[in-house]
Amino acid sequence: LLHASVETDGPPPRDPDAAGRWMSLSEVKSWGYQLHRTNLGELAKSPFDLIVIDPSAFGRMSLAKRAEAIEKLKRKPDGGQRIVLSYLSIGE
């Protein structure tokens, strides 16, 4: 994925940084993915700029808990932004 664009009337999907900017895919320098046996706590500690996870990683969490977990994943340990993407298998 080199570029993605979605037109929407709502606010951007990620929190801006201190300067009011959103991280773009062109700024990603490191990324990782975890599709099985996902440990959300360990992923939150990772330094990656972008992470891809399987939605099943949230198990039976309530929607509110899922939203909270995703918000935690969107910040790296150093306070920087992270892009979080959900894996979707179109071949299954």
Side-chain angles (χ1 to χ4, degrees), residues 2-91:
L2 298 176
H3 177 75
S5 176
V6 177
E7 291 186 27
T8 178
D9 292 331
R14 293 182 303 280
D15 295 331
D17 66 9
R21 295 181 326 108
W22 282 268
M23 184 176 198
S24 70
L25 288 176
S26 65
E27 294 176 273
V28 171
K29 295 189 177 16
S30 63
W31 65 282
Y33 67 94
Q34 184 71 46
L35 303 180
H36 301 286
R37 297 184 183 143
T38 303
N39 182 318
L40 297 174
E42 289 299 315
L43 279 178
K45 294 177 190 175
S46 74
F48 299 121
D49 296 328
L50 181 146
I51 54 175
V52 180
I53 59 173
D54 189 305
S56 68
F58 299 104
R60 294 185 172 167
M61 279 185 195
S62 69
L63 290 179
K65 290 286 185 189
R66 287 179 189 212
E68 184 180 315
I70 291 168
E71 286 303 313
K72 288 180 183 177
L73 290 173
K74 288 169 37 176
R75 286 286 171 195
K76 297 188 291 186
D78 67 2
Q81 294 182 45
R82 174 185 292 136
I83 297 173
V84 179
L85 297 178
S86 178
Y87 172 82
L88 173 65
S89 174
I90 59 171

